[in-house]
Amino acid sequence: MVSSSHEAMHRIFQKDPTLLTRALQRVLHVPFPEPREIAALNVDLTEIEPVERRVDTLLRAETDEGTYLFVIESQKKVDERKRGSWPYYLSYLYEKFHCEPILIVTTQSSTTARWAARPIRLGFRDWHSLTVRPLVLGPDNVPVITDERTAVQDVPLAVLSAMTHGRGPQAPAILESTAAALRTIDPDSAAVFVQFVDSCLADPQAKQMWRDLMTAIQYFWRHPLAEQVREEGREEGREEGREEGRLQDRREMVLRILEWQSVPVPDHVRERVNACTDLDRLEVWIRRAMHAKDAAELFLED
């Protein structure tokens, strides 16, 4: 189980290392050569002395131009101690593996991204003995993917988009497009990506919307957080109860999306939604709610 956004923001590159080179080339516009192979390495940089240092994720990329090490650090907030540890990581790895290390910082915060991108210069004003220039993936450069077709073309990048931008008015479209893209890949990989997104959603409404979407396509049931729900389902055990539960989930999701987008919900709209017993119709209303400016738009074509 992925227990925090910190873990998810770097472990997604362990799950799909090729996402990192696509992010370098397409998001950061760094002309990194296409790797022949990428392998995960031991993240422990502890020395013989009792000082423990660990990077978040460490990958080795073999390319036609040479071997590189990707040092991936997930950063939630500004931390000036990193200005000492990051140069240490790179120097240590260069000495240990005799190949070029590249520092990648991932974050969900624009403020943290601007701080992390500042060069770290060691030495005096006119002569820098060492300069570290982190590459940063954050809200200002990770693409906002709200289109299902775009999400399907690169599912890991869509997941990274949801992890980075899963809040605010665009969140419903981002999460829906990601959910649709997950239907196109194998269930085991999808279940891992589900946990990454779930761990990064700090907004309670966004997290609930994501879990509603995942319940609808069954991936949430692979998530450890759903164990209590599963147990309750086993105790009830009746198909009628499960059907009513699915209907109620969809009704609540329609209304929650409208309310989350600050669309007023009149009583007659709420009553009509709560009275609906057609799962397919509720699914249509959910999709319409994602883009509605007025609650009445749910029923325009009914």
Side-chain angles (χ1 to χ4, degrees):
M1 174 182 173
V2 181
S3 59
S4 71
S5 61
H6 173 90
E7 288 292 304
M9 289 297 289
H10 69 86
R11 282 181 55 186
I12 186 173
F13 298 106
Q14 297 178 15
K15 173 61 181 172
D16 186 349
T18 63
L19 172 62
L20 187 60
T21 55
R22 295 198 299 279
L24 284 172
Q25 295 163 355
R26 301 177 192 176
V27 178
L28 298 174
H29 306 293
V30 174
F32 189 81
E34 198 65 36
R36 295 190 304 272
E37 177 186 355
I38 299 181
L41 303 179
N42 191 331
V43 299
D44 192 347
L45 307 185
T46 306
E47 301 177 271
I48 296 177
E49 298 294 326
V51 177
E52 183 176 298
R53 299 183 187 273
R54 292 177 182 269
V55 298
D56 288 334
T57 286
L58 182 61
L59 303 174
R60 183 183 64 230
E62 302 287 350
T63 78
D64 291 338
E65 298 179 16
T67 302
Y68 297 88
L69 298 177
F70 288 129
V71 183
I72 306 172
E73 287 282 283
S74 172
Q75 197 68 27
K76 298 187 70 172
K77 61 183 180 180
V78 173
D79 184 355
E80 289 300 330
R81 292 177 301 175
K82 293 295 185 179
R83 299 188 70 80
S85 61
W86 285 342
Y88 170 84
Y89 294 165
L90 301 183
S91 299
Y92 176 89
L93 290 168
Y94 181 76
E95 172 61 23
K96 180 176 182 179
F97 293 100
H98 303 291
C99 52
E100 304 292 342
I102 301 170
L103 175 61
I104 313 287
V105 180
T106 64
T107 182
Q108 296 172 283
S109 163
S110 293
T111 299
T112 304
R114 289 191 293 271
W115 164 80
R118 288 164 40 202
I120 302 170
R121 296 185 175 94
L122 305 182
F124 59 94
R125 185 181 59 188
D126 297 322
W127 190 271
H128 300 127
S129 302
L130 176 65
T131 300
V132 175
R133 298 175 59 198
L135 291 166
V136 181
L137 292 168
D140 297 330
N141 55 18
V142 171
V144 177
I145 298 178
T146 58
D147 176 69
E148 180 178 330
R149 286 177 296 181
T150 304
V152 169
Q153 289 172 1
D154 193 334
V155 177
L157 186 60
V159 172
L160 182 62
S161 175
M163 292 162 60
T164 305
H165 301 288
R167 65 185 73 183
Q170 295 191 95
I174 295 170
L175 297 179
E176 170 126 335
S177 65
T178 305
L182 289 175
R183 295 187 182 101
T184 67
I185 65 175
D186 69 277
D188 290 335
S189 294
V192 175
F193 286 140
V194 166
Q195 293 185 41
F196 287 158
V197 175
D198 191 272
S199 297
C200 289
L201 294 175
D203 185 323
Q205 289 180 307
K207 188 180 286 285
Q208 186 59 52
M209 177 179 292
W210 180 245
R211 292 182 178 181
D212 289 342
L213 286 167
M214 294 303 98
T215 300
I217 61 174
Q218 302 302 314
Y219 288 137
F220 178 67
W221 301 107
R222 294 169 175 266
H223 197 296
L225 294 174
E227 183 60 35
Q228 182 178 352
V229 180
R230 285 200 296 269
E231 289 298 329
E232 292 171 356
R234 294 190 191 106
E235 291 174 7
E236 293 176 6
R238 292 182 302 156
E239 180 59 33
E240 181 180 348
R242 290 195 292 271
E243 179 72 11
E244 180 55 35
R246 286 193 288 269
L247 286 167
Q248 189 58 33
D249 284 343
R250 305 305 193 281
R251 295 168 188 145
E252 292 176 357
M253 189 172 180
V254 172
L255 299 174
R256 188 181 298 118
I257 291 171
L258 291 173
E259 292 169 354
W260 190 27
Q261 298 195 112
S262 301
V263 175
V265 182
D267 289 343
H268 71 276
V269 171
R270 190 179 301 274
E271 290 169 4
R272 183 169 174 180
V273 171
N274 285 328
C276 183
T277 58
D278 186 330
L279 277 173
D280 291 337
R281 177 164 293 183
L282 287 167
E283 292 287 355
V284 171
W285 290 352
I286 287 170
R287 291 193 292 272
R288 291 179 185 170
M290 295 286 184
H291 309 287
K293 303 300 181 185
D294 186 292
E297 294 176 23
L298 293 179
F299 317 125
L300 285 180
E301 299 176 17
D302 291 348

